[in-house]
Amino acid sequence: MSISRVGEITKDIIDAIDKICKKHQVTHGEYRKAIDFIGEAIDKGERSLLFDAFLEANVVASDPSKSSGTSPQVLGPFYLPDMPWVENNSLAKNNEPGERITLNGRVLNRNKETLGNAELDFWQADAKGRYSNFDPGVADGNLRGKTKADADGAFLLHTVRPAQYTIPDQGPTGLLLSEIGRHSWRPAHFHVIVRHPGYKMLTTQIYFEGDEYLSSDAVRAASSDLAFPIVSKEEGASLNFDLVLESR
Ligand code: BEZ
Ligand code: FE
């Protein structure tokens, strides 16, 4: 990011804040409280949560460099890089509690041609809505891992159905959410980052058709084009969707 761009955006932020201060006749005490609020959120480990909950969906929408295939979605605060490759196409261990579900589909380009060997980096909440490495009582690395599409672009991943969950709402971020009249629930979802040489990296989420929080997602990310029906067959439940990448 060039210095001149930082300068241009900073000037606009200051102009916007100037208008807001005048409109609301913001006092000096309120200004100090706002600074303390942001500091407190950071001190309590909510730096990414605070900004991702309120602003990341706007930036995903504004980013002109985003991938134009499958809709991109917020990364959120719970992504961890460098997770291991899954074994036996299984993100969930055999003893993972919850309803079993298989994710399958293909990685395609915008001409609907399959892209072999794409890397898919998944993370999800468990059946109680908890993320490993962030929520107590969950083993580190649980329900996180990478898999590869095969040479024909097909992927298959056995896992459990994640629960809807509230983003952490007992601290500053939750307080601010409730101040603006929003609940803290997210619809149930899988996160995935798709990488393939020569294509833009795609960060997205996959939802369940009919989820009651699709239209009132706490972080304003969920979109119905990414919500799929559960297909129930003798061999078990599955969610079938393709992931479309844009060439660089
Ligand atoms: C998430 O889905 O993991 C998430 C995204 C934005 C804010 C909080 C959580
Ligand atoms: Fe999430």
Side-chain angles (χ1 to χ4, degrees):
M1 191 170 177
S2 67
I3 293 290
S4 63
R5 190 159 159 77
V6 172
E8 277 168 30
I9 295 172
T10 303
K11 273 194 227 157
D12 280 356
I13 292 173
I14 292 169
D15 283 351
I17 291 176
D18 184 44
K19 284 198 190 91
I20 293 164
C21 288
K22 286 189 173 126
K23 178 178 169 191
H24 294 280
Q25 300 188 308
V26 172
T27 66
H28 192 263
E30 288 166 340
Y31 161 69
R32 283 285 160 208
K33 272 202 177 134
I35 295 172
D36 289 348
F37 176 87
I38 294 172
E40 190 193 331
I42 293 169
D43 291 348
K44 291 187 168 162
E46 294 190 1
R47 185 175 75 154
S48 182
L49 175 67
L50 177 68
F51 289 94
D52 295 350
F54 291 102
L55 300 178
E56 195 179 7
N58 300 69
V59 175
V60 169
S62 69
D63 185 353
S65 67
K66 65 174 170 268
S67 183
S68 67
T70 297
S71 309
Q73 288 276 292
V74 299
L75 178 73
F78 303 132
Y79 173 65
L80 294 177
D82 305 322
M83 288 294 113
W85 294 96
V86 304
E87 286 170 18
N88 305 318
N89 295 108
S90 287
L91 188 63
K93 301 217 162 50
N94 286 340
N95 60 356
E96 179 70 29
E99 204 180 308
R100 298 271 140 188
I101 191 158
T102 299
L103 309 183
N104 59 42
R106 292 162 310 162
V107 181
L108 307 171
N109 66 18
R110 292 183 56 200
N111 298 326
K112 297 202 160 62
E113 293 157 343
T114 54
L115 297 176
N117 308 311
E119 178 184 307
L120 297 109
D121 193 351
F122 279 96
W123 69 108
Q124 65 166 99
D126 67 11
K128 289 186 175 166
R130 304 173 303 177
Y131 278 99
S132 60
N133 305 72
F134 291 89
D135 284 299
V138 189
D140 280 357
N142 199 44
L143 298 175
R144 299 174 181 275
K146 289 186 292 192
T147 190
K148 241 188 184 130
D150 68 14
D152 299 320
F155 64 87
L156 175 75
L157 191 70
H158 303 296
T159 185
V160 293
R161 187 174 173 173
Q164 300 161 325
Y165 64 83
T166 55
I167 63 168
D169 58 5
Q170 299 304 303
T173 303
L175 186 70
L176 202 53
L177 259 183
S178 72
E179 284 294 332
I180 62 169
R182 279 186 8 216
H183 65 68
S184 53
W185 285 93
R186 294 220 61 213
H189 57 274
F190 298 96
H191 292 266
V192 62
I193 295 176
V194 190
R195 301 181 183 95
H196 192 283
Y199 287 81
K200 289 185 182 175
M201 185 177 86
L202 169 69
T203 301
T204 192
Q205 298 183 35
I206 300 298
Y207 301 91
F208 295 85
E209 197 175 86
D211 192 304
E212 67 189 294
Y213 295 120
L214 278 174
S215 56
S216 67
D217 183 1
V219 306
R220 297 175 300 120
S223 98
S224 53
D225 63 312
L226 294 169
F228 298 91
I230 294 181
V231 178
S232 296
K233 287 198 185 144
E234 237 171 72
E235 56 275 23
S238 67
L239 215 54
N240 309 321
F241 54 90
D242 292 335
L243 293 161
V244 181
L245 303 188
E246 183 192 0
S247 58
R248 279 190 221 271

